[in-house]
Amino acid sequence: MQQKKIILFLIILFVTGSAWLFHASNRLTDPNVGKNWWTIYFADSNTNNLNFHIENHSDQTTFHWEALVQNKKVREGDEKIEKGASQVVTLDENLGAGKIIIDVTVGSEKKEIYKNF
């Protein structure tokens, strides 16, 4: 009888511990839970394609972007992106030659990506 109680206790302990670890793992790997970050990246970095993604995991929702060719602004726009969402911004491939910079700002934070042609 004592052995059955010990085995039952160990099974309950194992199930409870496993459930807690599963829950903790899900919270730590979810990019939106308790985190505040955003990123930008080109849709295809190996071609002349200038389309880029803005991926939002922050509380901010309004992003302002500018496309610069040789440090001169050629395009700009605003995107509204909810937390946990990603949006593709489409640009013409014929903006010019040289260094093309994409600046994205939200609040006081600014990030930049570029391609050289």
Side-chain angles (χ1 to χ4, degrees):
M1 189 63 163
Q2 187 68 16
Q3 290 177 342
K4 288 183 180 180
K5 287 181 182 179
I6 292 173
I7 291 173
L8 182 62
F9 173 74
L10 289 176
I11 290 173
I12 291 172
L13 185 64
F14 175 75
V15 169
T16 304
S18 296
W20 182 81
L21 286 173
F22 180 75
H23 174 71
S25 174
N26 280 344
R27 286 186 50 82
L28 290 175
T29 57
D30 186 350
N32 294 317
V33 175
K35 298 172 180 85
N36 191 20
W37 62 279
W38 60 276
T39 187
I40 58 174
Y41 53 91
F42 284 111
D44 187 1
S45 60
N46 295 326
T47 65
N48 290 346
N49 189 345
L50 293 175
N51 299 342
F52 64 96
H53 292 260
I54 303 174
E55 186 173 334
N56 185 20
H57 297 282
S58 71
D59 296 328
Q60 302 287 336
T61 58
T62 304
F63 294 81
H64 180 76
W65 60 269
E66 296 177 348
L68 298 106
V69 177
Q70 303 295 341
N71 292 325
K72 294 181 183 176
K73 187 185 325 179
V74 293
R75 303 267 194 293
E76 69 178 320
D78 293 311
E79 304 295 329
K80 185 166 179 70
I81 306 169
E82 296 299 321
K83 185 172 187 170
S86 177
Q87 186 165 335
V88 178
V89 179
T90 304
L91 293 177
D92 299 332
E93 290 185 18
N94 56 358
L95 290 181
K99 187 175 185 178
I100 298 176
I101 301 172
I102 308 294
D103 282 334
V104 179
T105 56
V106 58
S108 62
E109 198 173 350
K110 179 179 179 180
K111 295 186 181 182
E112 172 181 291
I113 55 176
Y114 68 90
K115 282 188 177 184
N116 284 317
F117 293 106

